Amino acid sequence: MDPKTTLAALRDSCAEHLGADLADRVVSLARPGFSLTEAAPGQAAGHSRFGGKAMLEPGTPWPVCEDLPLSLLAVLDTDALAPWLGDLLPPGTGLLNFFHLDKESEQSDPTAWKVAAGFGPEGPEVGRVVAARSTHAVETDPPARSSVFAPVPWAAEPGFALPDTWDEAWDTLGLGYGGSDYEAVEAFKHAIRTEWSPQGVLSCEDMAFGRPVFPTGSSSAMLNGDDSNRYHHLLQLSGRHEWYIDGEGGWMHWSIPTEALRAGDFSQAIPTPDHW
C-alpha cells in the first residue's frame, strides 16, 4: 500500500479501540519509517546495509575522533526510501553513512576506550552521519585502525511508527492525568505493547526513520533541557550485531533536529546509545 492508504488503515485500526476523534489525535504522532531486515538476493533497498565499506564522494575526509578513525556501522540509501518519506528529506539526499567510534568489538583499537572517555557516549565527536550523492559516491576503503564489519544488505519494509510507551511525544496530546481519554490511551499503549499491533505500525528491531523503540533517540537534547519533540529519528540498530555500543542493551540510535534534517545538514545528527 502507499503511505496515504496505509495511514488511513492505521487510523481505522486505532479507531476500533479509541474512537474516531481520539484515534485521529494518536495517529497524528505516527511517523513514516522502515523495518530493516536482511535482504534476499535482489531485494535490497538500494545500497542500504549494515557494515561493509563506506559510500563516500571522492575527496570526502574519513571522520575521526581526535586521531582515531570512526568505524562505519550502516548505510541508508534514501533514494530508495524517499517515496515513503514525502518532503522530510531534501531531494537528492542520496546515501547516509553512519559512523561511530568502535570501542567494544573484537576489532576495536586498544586506544578507543581512552579516546571515548573524554567525550561520553552521546558526544557528537564519537559518531557522525555523512551524506553522499548517489551519482558521485563510491565504495571507500577504511583507514587503518577503523573496524570493518561484514556487510548485510537490508530490505526495507515501509510503515508507520508510533512513539514508544514512555516517549515524551505522548505529552503533546494534552490528555492530562486520570481522565477518560488518558486512561483510554494508556490502555491502548499497553495493548500494542503486549497483545496486538495496529495495521500499518512497524514492529522491528532495526529501523530507519520512524520513532525509536526505546525513547532515547533524543536524550542528548533532553539532558540539555531541549524539547525532544523537535528531533527526528534517523536509525535504530539493535544489540544483535557483531558490534556493541554502550548502554545495557547495546542498542543504538541516531537522531537529528527536524529543521536540520529538512535542510540536509547531517552534521547536527546525534549518536545516542540506549541506557536502561
Side-chain angles (χ1 to χ4, degrees):
M1 290 191 291
D2 60 87
K4 184 177 180 180
T5 303
T6 302
L7 195 61
L10 168 59
R11 185 180 295 107
D12 291 343
S13 182
C14 292
E16 295 176 4
H17 292 258
L18 297 170
D21 291 342
L22 193 52
D24 284 344
R25 296 167 68 186
V26 167
V27 171
S28 71
L29 300 178
R31 288 181 173 177
F34 303 84
S35 170
L36 302 173
T37 56
E38 184 172 354
Q43 298 299 312
H47 294 285
S48 299
R49 54 176 160 76
F50 171 80
K53 296 181 179 180
M55 298 287 293
L56 301 175
E57 296 186 28
T60 301
W62 192 277
V64 300
C65 182
E66 292 192 342
D67 294 326
L68 187 61
L70 303 183
S71 299
L72 180 85
L73 292 186
V75 176
L76 286 182
D77 189 337
T78 69
D79 291 340
L81 308 179
W84 193 264
L85 297 175
D87 61 356
L88 184 62
L89 295 169
T93 296
L95 306 171
L96 299 181
N97 295 267
F98 291 81
F99 295 90
H100 203 274
L101 179 62
D102 176 25
K103 60 184 179 66
E104 299 280 357
S105 82
E106 294 180 356
Q107 303 180 54
S108 62
D109 188 276
T111 66
W113 273 97
K114 182 178 180 180
V115 171
F119 299 99
E122 297 170 9
E125 297 85 359
V126 301
R128 210 75 49 83
V129 177
V130 180
R133 292 168 294 177
S134 300
T135 53
H136 293 69
V138 294
E139 284 197 343
T140 304
D141 290 326
R145 304 168 72 197
S146 176
S147 301
V148 182
F149 302 106
V152 179
W154 273 328
E157 181 68 27
F160 287 86
L162 289 171
D164 190 70
T165 303
W166 307 110
D167 198 308
E168 289 182 333
W170 293 106
D171 297 340
T172 64
L173 296 181
L175 300 175
Y177 180 78
S180 59
D181 284 353
Y182 174 86
E183 296 296 340
V185 170
E186 287 300 300
F188 171 81
K189 288 158 60 176
H190 176 76
I192 63 177
R193 187 176 71 249
T194 60
E195 302 169 14
W196 67 287
S197 180
Q199 185 174 350
V201 168
L202 295 172
S203 177
C204 53
E205 293 186 320
D206 297 327
M207 183 189 302
F209 299 97
R211 290 183 180 274
V213 171
F214 299 108
T216 58
S218 303
S219 63
S220 293
M222 288 185 272
L223 289 171
N224 293 325
D226 202 351
D227 178 4
S228 65
N229 292 304
R230 291 182 51 249
Y231 288 71
H232 208 94
H233 188 241
L234 289 176
L235 178 66
Q236 171 178 294
L237 293 177
S238 66
R240 59 191 177 87
H241 298 287
E242 59 183 304
W243 60 275
Y244 189 95
I245 297 178
D246 295 303
E248 295 179 32
W251 291 53
M252 184 69 190
H253 305 286
W254 280 266
S255 60
I256 187 172
T258 302
E259 290 183 3
L261 176 61
R262 293 187 183 280
D265 180 8
F266 293 96
S267 68
Q268 296 189 50
I270 301 170
T272 313
D274 261 309
H275 298 287
W276 294 358

